[in-house]
Amino acid sequence: MNKLFRKAFELSPALLLMLAGAVTAMGQSAKLQLDQLDVLANRASETVDVKLDEHLMQTTAKFFSGKDSDDAEIRDLIKNVKGIYVKSFSFEKENEYSSAEIESVMSQLRGGGWSKIIGVTSKKDGDNVEVYLLNIGDQISGLAVVSAEPKEFTVVNVIGPIDLEKLSKIEGSFGVPYLNLPPAKPKIGK
């Protein structure tokens, strides 16, 4: 009994390290918490709120028959997507949302595997757009777009494996705005 106790105690640091790794991996959730932004709907002149979970994504994929090439590409793109969540608020006047509301989203994108891949800031127009990817291993597991303009605030969150080359096919659909991502670089040798 004493040997077993000692052996378990010796294994504890290794077990703790494994547990810590598992907790870290679980903490790398691609789904952002956006419900705190619902208070902006009271001030907004227009609100878009899209919540397509995995079940709804599978149901939606069935509507794309695949009879034309665009439908087939969209169906192929969304078949593995676990969710699309969009919160967008348009306002009559500038500064109807606060930096705290932006920070409630941005704080979730710091660390935890999220990497900013695009940042666009216009001092002239006051437009700020940032695009983040969540990588787990060598696979993209999530996308987040935060767009803050003087009269508009939008957050797009796509969950699941994402092919950036095909992402432009869902721009303008499912509440996803046009992201104007740079085109994919051509592959050498093709």
Side-chain angles (χ1 to χ4, degrees), residues 95-132:
N95 304 316
E96 289 291 315
Y97 60 92
S98 70
S99 58
E101 288 150 338
I102 297 171
E103 181 59 24
S104 73
V105 176
M106 300 306 291
S107 64
Q108 298 175 63
L109 297 170
R110 289 191 196 100
W114 287 100
S115 301
K116 182 165 77 168
I117 61 165
I118 297 175
V120 179
T121 303
S122 171
K123 290 183 180 180
K124 179 183 175 187
D125 298 326
D127 299 350
N128 299 296
V129 178
E130 294 185 358
V131 179
Y132 292 81

Side-chain angles (χ1 to χ4, degrees), residues 8-130:
F9 192 77
E10 288 172 0
L11 291 176
S12 292
L15 189 60
L16 286 174
L17 285 174
M18 286 180 7
L19 238 67
V23 169
T24 301
M26 288 187 320
Q28 292 180 335
S29 174
K31 186 172 189 292
L32 299 175
Q33 299 304 314
L34 302 176
D35 291 340
Q36 74 280 7
L37 300 177
D38 289 345
V39 298
L40 293 175
N42 296 331
R43 293 177 258 165
S45 57
E46 185 177 306
T47 302
V48 175
D49 188 4
V50 176
K51 295 178 184 176
L52 295 173
D53 63 13
E54 186 172 8
H55 174 71
L56 288 172
M57 290 303 301
Q58 291 172 358
T59 302
T60 302
K62 293 176 186 174
F63 288 109
F64 293 95
S65 63
K67 291 181 181 174
D68 70 25
S69 63
D70 283 343
D71 276 4
E73 284 186 60
I74 291 173
R75 189 176 64 199
D76 184 48
L77 175 66
I78 66 173
K79 73 179 177 187
N80 294 319
V81 171
K82 306 293 183 218
I84 296 177
Y85 301 89
V86 179
K87 297 269 187 185
S88 184
F89 306 93
S90 298
F91 306 96
E92 293 292 325
K93 297 183 268 179
E94 292 184 7
N95 304 316
E96 289 291 315
Y97 60 92
S98 70
S99 58
E101 288 150 338
I102 297 171
E103 181 59 24
S104 73
V105 176
M106 300 306 291
S107 64
Q108 298 175 63
L109 297 170
R110 289 191 196 100
W114 287 100
S115 301
K116 182 165 77 168
I117 61 165
I118 297 175
V120 179
T121 303
S122 171
K123 290 183 180 180
K124 179 183 175 187
D125 298 326
D127 299 350
N128 299 296
V129 178
E130 294 185 358

